Amino acid sequence: MTPPRLIRFNKPYGVLSQFTPEGRWRGLKDHIDLPGVYVAGRLDADSEGLLLLTSDGALQARIADPRFKMEKTYWVQVEGIPDEAALAALRSGVVLNDGPTRPARARRLDPAPAVWDRHPPIRERKAIPTAWVELIIQEGRNRQVRRMTAAVGHPTLRLIRAAIGPYSLEGLAPGAWEEVRG
């Protein structure tokens, strides 16, 4: 019996969290050609960063199911400069249309994280500055991070998942993947 596999993948902008393409979005098969691995959790096509794939159903559930409270770390480029009140609101949980979020860890990243260029680039407006925020959550509702930053008055311009639990993006270029050993 082959041991379970765990793959770290840096999902580029415009790629779905599924193997088959759909509409204007590409699928994972353009980057990963491995039989028997499945996505553990989702990342929207317009988001970037760490996606884990595994051949182990129990591990897939532990990663994806909010009941296991595996932390997910996001680097979020937002419109405007969040003040302490906006960050405090994120930390205490914000009310979304589907109910309140759990409290999150939130801080401004200054300096901004060293990230790759996005293609296409984000929309920037000369009169409105942008800032990077690190947001760490333990749930994963549909477009939750984007809705949270919008709820505190700072719409998301770019969203990168930097880590899931102990697994990080470190050392992975966009579109690259590697098997986690041990």
Side-chain angles (χ1 to χ4, degrees):
M1 185 165 139
T2 45
R5 299 181 88 174
L6 178 62
I7 307 296
R8 290 185 319 133
F9 175 58
N10 186 348
K11 188 190 86 58
Y13 176 87
V15 175
L16 294 166
S17 295
Q18 62 189 41
F19 283 92
T20 49
E22 204 171 283
R24 66 183 178 121
W25 304 117
R26 294 171 293 156
L28 293 174
K29 72 177 176 116
D30 293 343
H31 299 278
I32 302 173
D33 185 21
L34 292 175
V37 295
Y38 305 94
V39 176
R42 288 182 20 259
L43 198 55
D44 295 323
D46 57 352
S47 299
E48 306 162 73
L50 185 63
L51 195 61
L52 297 176
L53 297 93
T54 182
S55 60
D56 180 339
L59 178 58
Q60 183 182 26
R62 275 197 314 276
I63 293 167
D65 194 321
R67 289 178 304 183
F68 293 103
K69 295 183 174 64
M70 187 170 277
E71 288 187 337
K72 293 163 185 76
T73 302
Y74 295 89
W75 294 338
V76 191
Q77 188 176 15
V78 296
E79 197 170 83
I81 310 291
D83 59 13
E84 188 51 40
L87 295 171
L90 292 169
R91 288 182 199 121
S92 61
V94 296
V95 177
L96 303 176
N97 61 357
D98 56 352
T101 65
R102 289 184 187 152
R105 296 206 318 259
R107 67 183 178 104
R108 264 214 353 251
L109 293 173
D110 196 13
V115 297
W116 54 91
D117 290 338
R118 194 188 91 171
H119 301 287
I122 64 163
R123 137 193 86 74
E124 286 196 56
R125 298 190 287 188
K126 293 197 185 323
I128 300 176
T130 68
W132 284 88
V133 172
E134 179 180 76
L135 197 57
I136 301 173
I137 63 173
Q138 293 180 340
E139 51 193 338
R141 297 189 219 168
N142 187 37
R143 300 183 75 78
Q144 178 176 340
V145 170
R146 291 174 188 280
R147 295 188 297 141
M148 288 175 74
T149 64
V152 298
H154 297 280
T156 294
L157 300 171
R158 187 173 183 192
L159 180 62
I160 298 172
R161 183 160 54 201
I164 300 171
Y167 309 105
S168 81
L169 266 183
E170 192 172 334
L172 280 181
W177 63 271
E178 76 172 14
E179 190 151 1
V180 176
R181 302 282 177 201

